Each structure stands twice: as structure tokens, then as C-alpha cells.
Amino acid sequence: MLAPMFTEQNARLVWEESILQAEQMLESWRDSQHAGATCIPDIREDTMMLPFHVINKAGFGVDIPWVSQSNRRTRGYADSPRSADTLGRGHRMTYREALHASISHLFHIVIFPTWLLRIAPFQYATFLRTAHEETIAYLKELMAERESDMKGEQDNVGRKCGFDIMSALVSAKVHRQKTGIEEGKLDSLEDREALTDRSILANVFLMLIAGHETTATVLLLTLVELAINIDWQRRLQEDLDAIFGSRRHSLWSLQQDFTRLSDGTVGATINEVLRLYPPANIIPKGTRRGSVQTIRTGSRDFTVPENTALQFLAVSAHHNPRYWPSDPASLRKEDLDEFRPGRWFAALDMASDRNSAGAPGTEPSTSLFRPHPGAYIPFSTGHRGCIGRRFAQVEILAVVAVVFKDYSLELDVGDFVGDEAIESMGMQQRQAVYEKAKAKARRVCRDGIRHHLTMQLKQGRLALRLVRRGEERFSDSHPRS
């Protein structure tokens, strides 16, 4: 049901909202800066908030401004008819509180039945039940509002909706009801089920969960890996300069700039993060009853019996040296456990004897290394591949571009030495301190990731420092001309 709703118009909405939210995130960071730099105590909080705002706009058409501590401007949201600040009348939780609580506590909401939450004499059970009930109530209100708007359009059903996914779903429902009733085509069970509010609600709730937390974790890991790997961060910034020049963010275009971003260092960076940290680590597959399937691995054929459940381990496929090149800049031949985005530009001849179709379902770029089919499956593959992969890719590309076009991110070294001591150090001493911060950040990324329904960083704290380009403290940087 959802797949046809991820249109090019929706991708443009994701692009524009991601840029706007990234600008507001940077503004909130600058508001708290000290001595020309900003320490971000836990980058996880902000990388969770930004995709939450984007999915609400592009998924539900709800505007959620990024309100900084010292500036409560809403930057174009003040007159929005569907702002999170205007919702909530007659509810026990605000819109933002309800949806955020449902996402943050999803695991417990799923495993505890509603009847148990209703009778359990615990404050936490009451909180879970209230958050879930309020989330469903808000989504139903948004659906009813869209349907009310659209049913009045006799000749232009669907044209009044926006480009958010909920509007598209409700528009499709209204259109199919209108044409089906007129032509008598609503007899099948499939038609009746596809048009129910419950099925639409289930799909948009799934989109909210899958489209928020996974994207947030990938964005978090991308920013942290770039802070760890300063030299690659400089190369990425040079690529951004070549793509955007001096153009303002408002002049950035999905149609004009997306391909150059995804085919360059930004795309290689995100691909490498997804290789190391696949959002769907265990991918369930299976054969149907009465269907036997043959799988070829190397030169051997294996027969999978009917009605058999299979599980593919993405992280194993992503570390198979048979299919992956090393980065020419690496000092070791086998570096598949390390963040080496240069491998996506390396050994393109590995794919020269294969057709250019690449791995189905991954939509790799046209100029980067194209892995062997099945070797790169961060969004699963085949007919059950993640339908929101382009949504996530557009969002992360846009945010990374906005952040690093004018700024650099460094790891915070406050656990090892203070700012005053850093200023009195030579570059060699500074880099020695930075190596300690890098080792700590790598441990957090390696040991803190958990897969509970979605991929999350559950343990450890990752603090970063935002500085203007040319003011970095741990590398010999050169200001732009």
C-alpha cells in the first residue's frame, strides 16, 4: 500500500524539510556556543529529533519547528494550519509528546497487551497506554481532516492533498471509493481491506517507527564517523564546495544536486556507514507452501524446501572479503572492520565482469563501486526490500551537506584535557589526545548498538564539537579561498 506513495514530489518535500531542519539544528547549536565553538554533550538527542520532525512533515504534513533555547522563532511555521503547536486541544498529551513517547517506548508497547496496560496498577503502564492511545487518536484526527477536505472535491479528487504520504493514502482511498462505487468494483476482500482506516493507520504508524529511529541512528553514526576520520571529512567538504559553490541552501535542488551528492564522497560515506551498521541486521526470508526454490552460492546449488523460513545476516555479507575491495589508502589489505569509504571509489574493476544492474533493491549510485548482488543489503533486497530507502537517503544526504558545508565536527576531548590546555599544545600533542577520543568513540559505536525492533544506540554518550571551517584544532586545516 505504501510503495506508490513515495513519489518524486514526496522526495522533494523530504529534501526541503531536511535542509530546513538541519539549518535549525545548526542554529540551536550556535545559540549555545562558547569561545567560538559549540560542545554538543550528546549528539544522539539531536539526531533523534531531526528525523522525527522530517517524518512528521513528509509523512503526515505536520510542521514541528526546531525551537532553540534562546530563540523561539518558528521560521515559516507560525501560520501553518497543521503545526504540532496547534494540535493537542482536548488531549492528555501534546502531539509531540505522544508520538515521541510511542517511538521511544515502542518495545514495551508491543510486548504488553492493551488489556494488561489498562489494568496494571503501575504509573509506567498508564504512561504507555496513554501515549499509545493518544498517538492513535492524533493520527485518526489527521486522517479525518484530510478525508473531509477531499470529499468535497467532486471533480478533482486527490488534487487538494499535499505531497505528504498520509494525504496521498487518504486521497487514494477517497478516489477508489468514488470510482469503485460508481463502477461497482468494491466486491473483493482486497478492495474492502485496502480502503479501511485501520489499514491506512497501520501503514502510517509503521512508517513512523521504521522511518524515524533507523534514520536517526544512521545519521548519528555518519556524523560521528566523520568526526573520527578528519581527513575524510576534509575531502567531503571539498566535494561539497565543488557541488554547491557559494549557493544558498534555498537554491539547492534535489533534481540538480542529489546525483552529484550520492555519486561522490557524501554517498560513499553513507554507503560505508550502512555497510558497517546495517539497519536490518537479520533479514527474514522464506519460501511459500508449495514453492521450492534453488539458490546458487558460488558454484554450488542449494534447494530450499517449501514453507521454509530463512534468515540472512547482513553484517556477514558486508564483511565478506570475496566481494569487497580494500581502501587503497589503508595500510592493511583486509580492512573490512574499519570505516574506509574510499573503498567505494576503489577496485571498480571488481565489477567490470558483472552487468551494471548491481545489487537489487539497494539503488547504488552510478559511479561508485557496485557490490555483487546480495553482498550489500542494508535495506534488505528483492520484493520485500525497504520501500523507504530513498526517503532515508535523501534525508541523510541533505543533512550531511548542510552541516559540513560551512562547519566541521570534532570529537569532544573534555574527558582527557581541558580547552585551555589544548590551546597551549602543539599539533602532535593535540593529535595524541584526539587518538584517545577516537578510541573511546569507536568503542561506543561498536558496543552500544542494539537491534530491538529497530537499530538503536543504547549505551554510551557521544559528545561532539561544532566549529567553523578553518578553525579546527586537531588538523592542519586550510581556510577556503
Side-chain angles (χ1 to χ4, degrees):
M1 179 184 290
L2 277 175
M5 308 305 163
F6 288 93
T7 63
E8 194 62 23
Q9 292 94 332
N10 183 257
R12 284 200 295 270
L13 180 60
V14 173
W15 172 265
E16 294 167 1
E17 187 66 17
S18 299
I19 290 174
L20 178 60
Q21 291 292 338
E23 289 175 338
Q24 295 185 6
M25 180 174 70
L26 285 173
E27 183 179 344
S28 72
W29 289 348
R30 290 193 300 265
D31 284 348
S32 59
Q33 73 177 11
H34 173 70
T38 296
C39 180
I40 309 161
D42 191 351
I43 189 67
R44 178 173 47 181
E45 295 180 5
D46 292 333
T47 53
M48 285 290 287
M49 190 179 303
L50 188 148
F52 178 71
H53 293 181
V54 173
I55 193 67
N56 272 278
K57 177 63 175 180
F60 312 133
V62 176
D63 294 310
I64 303 183
W66 193 295
V67 181
S68 65
Q69 295 177 353
S70 62
N71 185 357
R72 296 190 61 84
R73 285 186 301 151
T74 55
R75 297 191 60 182
Y77 292 142
D79 299 324
S80 172
R82 201 175 286 128
S83 168
D85 295 334
T86 64
L87 301 172
R89 299 181 181 90
H91 287 267
R92 291 166 290 173
M93 283 183 168
T94 67
Y95 176 87
R96 192 193 305 246
E97 289 170 345
L99 268 67
H100 190 269
S102 291
I103 293 172
S104 302
H105 301 271
L106 176 65
F107 183 73
H108 289 152
I109 290 175
V110 169
I111 65 173
F112 293 127
T114 305
W115 64 265
L116 180 59
L117 294 177
R118 193 173 291 119
I119 65 173
F122 304 111
Q123 186 174 0
Y124 183 60
T126 302
F127 168 77
L128 292 178
R129 186 187 75 247
T130 302
H132 181 62
E133 290 175 350
E134 288 296 286
T135 296
I136 299 302
Y138 276 118
L139 295 179
K140 284 183 176 179
E141 288 177 17
L142 291 171
M143 289 170 53
E145 178 187 323
R146 307 296 204 290
E147 190 166 349
S148 177
D149 289 342
M150 295 171 192
K151 280 188 173 179
E153 299 292 309
Q154 296 298 322
D155 299 322
N156 298 299
V157 173
R159 294 186 183 180
K160 195 171 182 178
C161 71
F163 295 132
D164 61 275
I165 293 172
M166 178 178 281
S167 290
L169 283 168
V170 175
S171 177
K173 170 190 171 182
V174 173
H175 180 70
R176 289 187 65 186
Q177 283 180 331
K178 181 176 183 294
T179 57
I181 292 172
E182 291 176 352
E183 301 173 16
K185 295 181 178 179
L186 293 181
D187 296 331
S188 72
L189 177 63
E190 181 181 355
D191 279 338
R192 292 195 298 271
E193 288 185 345
L195 296 174
T196 63
D197 287 345
R198 184 172 183 175
S199 63
I200 295 177
L201 188 64
N203 276 273
V204 297
F205 190 74
L206 175 64
M207 178 186 64
L208 172 66
I209 301 304
H212 166 250
E213 203 152 44
T214 297
T215 303
T217 305
V218 173
L219 177 60
L220 163 70
L221 294 168
T222 301
L223 298 182
V224 172
E225 287 289 0
L226 285 169
I228 292 173
N229 297 274
I230 296 179
D231 291 341
W232 184 263
Q233 184 180 152
R234 300 293 171 265
R235 180 172 171 180
L236 180 143
Q237 290 170 325
E238 291 170 0
D239 202 7
L240 292 176
D241 291 341
I243 293 172
F244 296 111
S246 59
R247 278 188 290 151
R248 301 189 304 274
H249 295 158
S250 59
L251 299 178
W252 293 9
S253 163
L254 177 67
Q255 182 178 7
Q256 176 183 348
D257 301 316
F258 176 79
T259 300
R260 295 185 66 188
L261 285 171
S262 61
D263 285 357
T265 53
V266 182
T269 299
I270 297 170
N271 286 354
E272 183 70 352
V273 169
L274 290 170
R275 187 190 67 82
L276 287 171
Y277 311 100
N281 189 25
I282 298 177
I283 301 173
K285 297 287 183 180
T287 55
R288 297 179 179 179
R289 187 178 300 277
S291 174
V292 178
Q293 188 168 343
T294 300
I295 298 176
R296 173 172 286 271
T297 301
S299 60
R300 301 180 61 187
D301 290 336
F302 296 89
T303 300
V304 182
E306 64 171 322
N307 201 30
T308 300
L310 302 174
Q311 289 186 334
F312 291 87
L313 193 60
V315 71
S316 295
H318 294 181
H319 287 73
N320 190 334
R322 178 186 300 177
Y323 302 114
W324 289 96
S326 295
D327 185 345
S330 175
L331 298 178
R332 298 188 302 104
K333 185 176 181 180
E334 295 184 359
D335 57 6
L336 295 178
D337 292 335
E338 302 171 5
F339 177 80
R340 297 283 182 177
R343 79 178 77 251
W344 292 87
F345 296 104
L348 294 179
D349 58 324
M350 289 185 65
S352 62
D353 60 342
R354 301 194 293 268
N355 63 48
S356 60
T362 60
E363 290 189 359
S365 69
T366 56
S367 65
L368 299 180
F369 168 69
R370 300 175 72 82
H372 189 282
Y376 184 61
I377 48 176
F379 296 109
S380 185
T381 186
H383 298 298
R384 297 291 183 179
C386 176
I387 59 176
R389 58 184 177 269
R390 179 166 165 79
F391 188 116
Q393 186 182 27
V394 169
E395 179 178 347
I396 298 172
L397 281 170
V399 173
V400 169
V402 171
V403 171
F404 290 98
K405 182 63 175 69
D406 296 303
Y407 293 90
S408 294
L409 283 178
E410 299 175 339
L411 297 173
D412 179 55
V413 298
D415 289 344
F416 307 100
V417 67
D419 286 339
E420 292 184 2
I422 285 288
E423 295 302 323
S424 63
M425 289 181 178
M427 184 55 65
Q428 188 173 1
Q429 292 175 300
R430 293 185 183 190
Q431 291 176 344
V433 172
Y434 206 70
E435 287 299 321
K436 296 180 182 179
K438 288 163 65 173
K440 176 186 175 183
R442 289 191 177 110
R443 284 195 303 270
V444 172
C445 292
R446 182 190 65 224
D447 301 334
I449 294 292
R450 298 289 184 272
H451 285 81
H452 296 304
L453 299 180
T454 58
M455 180 176 68
Q456 306 167 42
L457 183 68
K458 301 294 288 185
Q459 297 179 349
R461 182 180 65 89
L462 291 165
L464 300 183
R465 187 173 182 269
L466 180 78
V467 297
R468 283 257 176 206
R469 287 179 59 182
E471 299 176 3
E472 297 87 354
R473 301 185 298 174
F474 300 99
S475 65
D476 295 317
S477 60
H478 301 282
R480 291 170 293 171
S481 58

